[in-house]
Amino acid sequence: MKTFGALFAVISGATALSIAEINGNRFISPYNGQTVTNVEGLVTAVSSAGFYLRSTKADRDAATSEGLYVYGSNAAKTVTVGDIITVSGKVSEYRSNVDYLYLTELTSPQNITIVSSGAKVKPLVIGKDTYSPPTSKFSSLDEGGLFGVPNNVSRISVANPKLQPKKYGLDFWESIVGELVTIKEAYGVGRPNQYGDVWVRGNWKVTGKNKQGGLTMTDGDANPETIIIGTPLDASKNPTDTKMGDYYGDITGVVSYAFGFYRVLPLTHITPERNSSAAHPPVSFTSKGSCKGITVADYNAENLAPTSTHLPQVVDQIINMLKTPDLLFLQEVQDNSGSKNDGVVSANVTLTTLVDSLFETSGVQYAFAEVEPENLKDGGQPGGNIRVAYLYRPDVVELYKPNQGGSNDANEVLPGPLLKYNPGRIDPANAAWVDSRKPLVAMWRAVKGGKKPFFTVNVHFTSKGGSTSLHGDARPPVNLGVDQRTMQAEVTADFIAQILEEDKKAYVIAAGDFNEFVQVQPLQTFAKKSGLTELDEVAKISMNERYTYLFDMNSEALDHMYVSKGIGKSVKYEHMNLNTWQNYDDQVSDHDPSVARFDLC
Ligand SMILES: *[C@@H]1O[C@H](CO)[C@@H](O)[C@H](O)[C@H]1NC(C)=O
Ligand SMILES: *[C@@H]1O[C@H](CO)[C@@H](O)[C@H](O)[C@H]1NC(C)=O
Ligand SMILES: *[C@@H]1O[C@H](CO)[C@@H](O)[C@H](O)[C@H]1NC(C)=O
Ligand SMILES: *[C@@H]1O[C@H](CO)[C@@H](O)[C@H](O)[C@H]1NC(C)=O
């Protein structure tokens, strides 16, 4: 590129702007809205909607991209890859949604002159001809970190910060937007969406790599070194049935931005060259059948209804993968009519179907414990009345002094400690639980050798749905529901703290879909106020294997177990990545279950 610069500077005239000047060293072009003439560039790629130019006069500033998208289907028909052209047009910043970043484009292209043809076009190899993508931070505007609270304190489109491509992920991708690049040795870190868009990492330095080949989110690191592969420029289609860890080889395409993310639009569709295995081993330990080793599993089984087509697969996983745990914390159990909004709230058919099916297949008899919500008051799929529930093996554990609570009964910690309702919900009228699941507290005893009862709290906090993308305009990105989750964490933690006030050695297990990461405010609050410790910490699970969910580029943990100090010793704990490793069609739920074993004697 630098040679072209010297060669053609004279031809194009002194007044023409370079592509680097048009892009500038910030997110928004300094020439936004202005008409520019005789911009010179090498055509690096063409699609039916437009074409991509690379500057013939590269500057020495890594922050100013040498690439530019020229938008216009008629103009695209007049150029060929390898042409060096001059073009005039209007510099425009485009986005299809106010939560996205802008893409700099040259629109209404006119007066295209082909200066020469047949020039060699070499993609920039990412990490070799460019910096390596930064591995932890996204934006200089992320005050308090990517998940800092409050969110949406500033906007990239307004602050328009100077690009620091060595330091911040968004700045890095912006600094090469419009360029033709090659990603060497690409592995999928996510699972494609219905359009075949898939997140990958290249052969540059990455952090958080898990054993399956994905990248796990850790504290302060949500993997800005990854990039989405979007719609191919030649209108071919990416596969939609690939999965985390599949190997795609080298991918060449142009850097763009659309639908909330920087992306590489490949010249043609990608194909997996080697596939990862989705086969996960079953849990490596089983129950001891007594207080010496009680197995406890946690599973968000995704809108489970009596007629769910995935119910038999959930049964299969519980039996063959989780090895029929003694106590199961379930989330997203729907009422007997599933998502039909018909006033039905009871889930006795849903839970009986599950229990009967488990018995038929394994001969293991389960019982269930739950408290019905009020119709349409707990959020989730409209009409589904999702709730948390326990399945348990009555031959191994039993409710201790059961006293069924109702939808509106607020559970209380009584001297002992004992529960007023067993099972019962925590403070159902509290504003923290509007349109959300109320935690279900229960008190249990191991049938064999269980002198000391233990307490469980099954949670499903309010969802993150509607959050803005990690590559979005709002900084820190909008983490929807974070304030409500903090309130929920406080109310739940206060209840647990009361149990531990009565008996500081009480056995307490709180588990479920917290819809939040441990490093973010709600769960920091929860740990501090409840006095519980996250089981990943207690069991010393390797940082990169702590995940139960796959979202965008991240293998991440939304589901957790927290335990009181008394039950940390000789614990076993495994995350069962039965679903995150699968392709879209073969996942049974959108969450992975986890299994633990505790000595509760
Ligand atoms: C295109 O070329 C014509 C004829 O030379 C000129 O009048 C016009 O101003 C040019 N348009 C732009 C946008 O440069
Ligand atoms: C973020 O804040 C802006 C005001 O700066 C507001 O217009 C916008 O609605 C907020 N976005 C979200 C998703 O809350
Ligand atoms: C990888 O899996 C896909 C389905 O996702 C299949 O079409 C393809 O043939 C497999 N490729 C290899 C190399 O095994
Ligand atoms: C569910 O509860 C209703 C009402 O109590 C009862 O009539 C029905 O038999 C129950 N069904 C099952 C499968 O337990």
Side-chain angles (χ1 to χ4, degrees), residues 239-243 246-247 271-276 583:
T240 54
D241 58 356
T242 59
K243 54 197 184 306
D246 282 355
Y247 178 68
T271 308
E273 290 180 10
R274 284 198 307 274
N275 291 337
S276 60
N583 64 35

Side-chain angles (χ1 to χ4, degrees), residues 99 152 155 468 474 478:
D99 289 327
N152 195 13
R155 297 182 86 80
T468 59
V478 175

Side-chain angles (χ1 to χ4, degrees), residues 37-56:
T37 53
N38 297 324
V39 178
E40 189 179 85
L42 165 68
V43 177
T44 55
V46 182
S47 77
S48 62
F51 61 91
Y52 294 81
L53 278 184
R54 173 183 289 161
S55 180
T56 53

